[in-house]
């Protein structure tokens, strides 16, 4: 069974520091990788996607992909209290529509 | 763009009653997904439509669940009869099939409570 693993947290990070979120996946055939943010009581929203090995930066967010080691990570620089949320990692499965979801990591940014 | 629209936002019903959840995807999107989210099981895909046709319904828990997409702008998820274990947040998401990055846009969800 294809799986996506995330530490459930909560991960507590001081305001202004770097938050590092990690995700491992089991299917070597996965091609696209996503990070969604979900505020409490709200729906998931896409914040980053990556499909090539290496780093991809977008503002304060950096996604890192290492296909050989089957992990993907999300770094949030200069963390703000508004970054406090659950971060869901998702990877493509057997078909081009299927996403396999992790259970999410709860991130808390302390002022 | 109004985004994905779902109704109702909250539904409280009694065991045995029929529940119908509604979704309007983003105009121009040809993929539609119904998900269920609980604390215990996380986000689970129930059914996937492509161009209004059900492609994968392997996540539908049992025959009490059914979904339809009569046209490109409307889909329903029906539970009949409902049971307390169906209590969850149900999300509808839409996207464009075939793009490399396969982004899915989520609606606000319907919080279902079955008493």
């Amino acid at each position: 069974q294809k799986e996506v693993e995330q530490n459930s947290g909560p991960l507590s990070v001081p305001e202004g520091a770097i938050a590092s979120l990690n995700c491992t996946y089991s299917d070597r055939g996965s091609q696209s990788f996503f990070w969604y943010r979900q505020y409490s009581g709200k729906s998931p929203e896409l914040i980053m996607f990556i499909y090539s090995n290496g780093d991809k930066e977008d503002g304060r967010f950096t996604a890192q992909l290492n296909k050989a080691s089957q992990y993907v990570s999300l770094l949030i620089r200069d963390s703000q209290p508004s970054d406090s949320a659950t971060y869901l990692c998702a990877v493509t499965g057997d078909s081009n529509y299927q996403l396999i979801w992790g259970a999410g990591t709860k991130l808390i940014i302390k002022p | 763009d109004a985004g994905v629209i779902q109704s109702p936002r909250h539904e409280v019903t009694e065991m045995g009653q029929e529940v119908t959840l509604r979704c309007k995807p983003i105009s121009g999107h040809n993929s539609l997904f119904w998900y269920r989210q609980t604390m215990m099981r996380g986000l689970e895909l129930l059914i996937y439509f492509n161009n209004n046709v059900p492609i994968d319904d392997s996540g539908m828990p049992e025959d009490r669940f059914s979904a339809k997409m009569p046209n490109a702008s409307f889909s329903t998820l029906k539970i009949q009869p409902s049971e307390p274990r169906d209590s969850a947040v149900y999300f509808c998401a839409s996207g464009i099939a075939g793009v490399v990055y396969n982004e899915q846009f989520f609606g606000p969800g319907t919080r279902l409570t079955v008493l």
Side-chain angles (χ1 to χ4, degrees):
Chain A
Q1 176 147 350
K2 298 177 174 60
E3 293 183 341
V4 173
E5 299 286 341
Q6 293 182 256
N7 188 317
S8 62
L11 175 65
S12 184
V13 174
E15 183 176 357
I18 296 176
S20 178
L21 304 163
N22 299 311
C23 168
T24 59
Y25 59 95
S26 62
D27 182 9
R28 284 193 173 276
S30 294
Q31 297 188 6
S32 299
F33 307 84
F34 306 84
W35 284 100
Y36 281 78
R37 178 177 62 201
Q38 186 174 25
Y39 291 114
S40 179
K42 303 295 185 182
S43 56
E45 57 176 333
L46 182 69
I47 52 172
M48 290 284 290
F49 70 88
I50 186 169
Y51 46 83
S52 299
N53 271 329
D55 295 359
K56 179 181 179 183
E57 187 174 319
D58 184 1
R60 296 186 296 111
F61 298 94
T62 299
Q64 299 176 318
L65 175 61
N66 183 323
K67 288 187 177 181
S69 300
Q70 294 177 244
Y71 83 77
V72 57
S73 61
L74 179 70
L75 302 178
I76 307 174
R77 290 181 299 282
D78 189 23
S79 298
Q80 303 296 311
S82 60
D83 295 325
S84 298
T86 295
Y87 290 79
L88 301 167
C89 173
V91 309
T92 49
D94 289 335
S95 54
N96 64 357
Y97 66 84
Q98 181 188 31
L99 288 181
I100 304 170
W101 294 84
T105 298
K106 184 174 184 178
L107 175 66
I108 299 172
I109 307 299
K110 291 188 172 182
Chain B
D1 192 336
V4 176
I5 298 172
Q6 290 187 248
S7 64
R9 295 291 305 276
H10 302 274
E11 177 82 25
V12 180
T13 190
E14 293 188 345
M15 182 174 61
Q17 296 298 306
E18 176 179 299
V19 175
T20 299
L21 311 181
R22 297 172 175 80
C23 174
K24 176 178 169 57
I26 293 172
S27 177
H29 285 186
N30 60 1
S31 294
L32 186 136
F33 307 82
W34 281 101
Y35 285 94
R36 177 171 67 177
Q37 188 176 40
T38 62
M39 288 294 292
M40 290 297 295
R41 300 176 66 90
L43 203 57
E44 301 174 278
L45 178 65
L46 300 177
I47 188 167
Y48 163 63
F49 291 88
N50 181 259
N51 291 323
N52 313 338
V53 176
I55 302 298
D56 182 357
D57 65 356
S58 60
M60 296 286 262
E62 49 200 271
D63 291 345
R64 298 185 297 107
F65 285 69
S66 62
K68 295 182 179 180
M69 191 165 187
N71 56 61
S73 59
F74 184 66
S75 177
T76 60
L77 177 68
K78 185 177 293 186
I79 308 172
Q80 167 63 19
S82 58
E83 296 182 4
R85 61 195 169 117
D86 301 329
S87 297
V89 180
Y90 291 80
F91 289 108
C92 175
S94 70
I96 301 175
V99 297
V100 173
Y101 50 86
N102 196 24
E103 180 176 1
Q104 297 180 18
F105 296 81
F106 283 74
T110 296
R111 183 172 295 276
L112 174 65
T113 302
V114 183
L115 302 175

